[in-house]
Amino acid sequence: EHVLVLGFSLPPSDLHVCGAFEAINWSDKKLGLVFREGPADETEMHWKRVAGGQAISMTINTGVPLDTTTTVKSFWKSVNDFVS
């Protein structure tokens, strides 16, 4: 029901992984992405392509926070809320 991706941009050159995700019936799935966005980042575009245009339910494009205990706990709470 939920697909949570941590740090994988799914480049089109990774044909085996792209093919595996394209084979999924995404109609009843929720897709969440956690990645560190860089210049000209195409992570969301790659995932939307393999998910057949399915809306992304959660996006955290600043990576996994590690600066304070509070931000780490907040991050994992948002992940828990997504998969619940």
Side-chain angles (χ1 to χ4, degrees), residues 6-7 33-37 59-66 71 75:
L6 298 174
L33 302 176
V34 177
F35 63 99
R36 184 169 214 79
E37 188 172 33
T59 300
I60 299 174
N61 63 358
T62 55
V64 177
L66 300 172
T71 59
F75 167 77

Side-chain angles (χ1 to χ4, degrees), residues 19-83:
F21 280 106
E22 288 170 348
I24 294 173
N25 177 359
W26 287 94
S27 59
D28 294 325
K29 307 282 188 290
K30 290 185 178 180
L31 175 59
L33 302 176
V34 177
F35 63 99
R36 184 169 214 79
E37 188 172 33
D41 192 281
E42 297 182 337
T43 300
E44 286 188 57
M45 181 184 72
H46 295 314
W47 281 99
K48 284 181 183 177
R49 178 181 42 81
V50 299
Q54 178 77 3
I56 297 172
S57 301
M58 177 187 77
T59 300
I60 299 174
N61 63 358
T62 55
V64 177
L66 300 172
D67 52 338
T68 68
T69 302
T70 302
T71 59
V72 171
K73 287 181 179 180
S74 177
F75 167 77
W76 287 110
K77 181 184 179 327
S78 67
V79 168
N80 185 59
D81 291 346
F82 170 73
V83 298

